[in-house]
């Protein structure tokens, strides 16, 4: 087996299995809790974990966000914009002018 460091630690020494335990135990492969990660199947493990963490593991949250956002602004209408244009419409400019003229222009003292 391939050593991971100068002390001779092998991937098999880490006692990893094909499960994600970040929130709840989720099998990344059939019978994942008994399938050990080895140097021979490590690429499969990395691919399964990546797919889960960035895909299937967050799909419900992404779907809920899209449904909520789409109720305000239909997603099909966003296709005409580039990513940075959408960011500016949703989040505003990333450049903040903190000079006295800008502050006085945008702040109106009204309550004492």
């Amino acid at each position: 087996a391939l050593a991971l460091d100068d002390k001779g630690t092998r991937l098999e020494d880490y006692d990893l299995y094909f499960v994600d335990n970040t929130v709840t135990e989720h099998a990344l492969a059939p019978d994942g809790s008994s399938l050990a990660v080895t140097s021979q199947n490590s690429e499969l493990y990395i691919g399964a974990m990546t797919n889960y963490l960035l895909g299937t593991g967050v799909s419900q949250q992404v779907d809920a966000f899209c449904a909520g956002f789409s109720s305000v602004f239909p997603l099909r209408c966003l296709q005409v914009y580039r990513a940075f244009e959408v960011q500016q419409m949703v989040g505003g400019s990333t450049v903040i002018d903190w000079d006295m003229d800008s502050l006085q222009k945008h702040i109106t003292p009204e309550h004492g």
Side-chain angles (χ1 to χ4, degrees), residues 38-71:
T38 66
S39 55
Q40 288 78 30
N41 65 14
S42 61
E43 287 186 22
L44 184 62
Y45 171 78
I46 291 168
M49 182 64 85
T50 301
N51 181 55
Y52 178 68
L53 292 176
L54 301 177
T56 58
V58 295
S59 63
Q60 285 183 318
Q61 292 87 341
V62 171
D63 291 344
F65 173 83
C66 290
F69 189 90
S70 191
S71 71

Side-chain angles (χ1 to χ4, degrees), residues 5-40:
D5 60 24
D6 59 354
K7 296 176 182 146
T9 307
R10 302 171 304 130
L11 186 59
E12 291 81 353
D13 297 332
Y14 286 99
D15 200 31
L16 290 173
Y17 292 87
F18 274 74
V19 293
D20 172 52
N21 291 318
T22 53
V23 177
T24 60
E25 186 170 298
H26 175 81
L28 301 172
D31 202 25
S33 60
S34 62
L35 179 59
V37 178
T38 66
S39 55
Q40 288 78 30

